[in-house]
Amino acid sequence: MAKQNTDRTTIDLFACEKRVGRPRTNPLERKDQLKANKRNQLKRDRANGLKRIELKVEQQLFEKLNQLATESGISRSELIEKMLNKQVSQFSTN
C-alpha cells in the first residue's frame, strides 16, 4: 500500500514526519491544563483570603461595567469590589 500525502488517518505512516509548529511541552491535554490552572488559582485566592462571588447581570450593565473599568484603568473585578466596599461602608455608617 502506497502512502499518499493527503491521507492523514493512518498515523503510523507519518510517525517519522516532522510536524509544523511549537513542540508540545506539557504532557496534559489543554482541557486538563486549564482545569489544573483554575484549581491552582482558587488555591492562591484562598491563601490570600479572597472569597468567590458570582453575579448575573443584564448585558447593558455588564458593558457599562466594562467601560467604566477600562476608563479607570482597572479590572472589572476591582471596579465591582470598590463599588461594593463603598456601598457597604455607607450602610455601616447609617
Side-chain angles (χ1 to χ4, degrees):
M1 181 171 128
K3 174 174 105 173
Q4 290 187 10
N5 290 336
T6 57
D7 180 20
R8 295 288 177 196
T9 58
T10 316
I11 301 298
D12 59 321
L13 293 176
F14 298 94
C16 62
E17 186 176 305
K18 287 197 170 200
R19 302 200 117 204
V20 180
R22 195 178 89 188
R24 188 171 173 167
T25 58
N26 195 317
L28 298 175
E29 294 292 324
R30 184 67 182 147
K31 66 180 179 111
D32 296 328
Q33 289 178 35
L34 293 173
K35 192 180 286 187
N37 289 343
K38 188 63 170 177
R39 188 175 333 126
N40 291 337
Q41 178 66 49
L42 290 173
K43 285 180 185 177
R44 281 193 303 273
D45 287 347
R46 269 189 234 117
N48 291 330
L50 300 174
K51 297 287 184 181
R52 184 181 182 104
I53 298 177
E54 291 192 33
L55 180 67
K56 292 182 182 181
V57 296
E58 293 181 357
Q59 182 70 31
Q60 287 179 329
L61 178 57
F62 180 78
E63 290 170 359
K64 186 67 175 173
L65 287 169
N66 281 339
Q67 180 185 358
L68 288 171
T70 303
E71 290 171 0
S72 300
I74 58 176
S75 71
R76 186 177 59 241
S77 178
E78 291 171 318
L79 175 69
I80 293 170
E81 186 177 359
K82 284 183 179 186
M83 291 174 152
L84 286 172
N85 278 326
K86 185 176 180 181
Q87 284 299 114
V88 167
S89 66
Q90 284 180 359
F91 281 113
S92 298
T93 58
N94 290 340

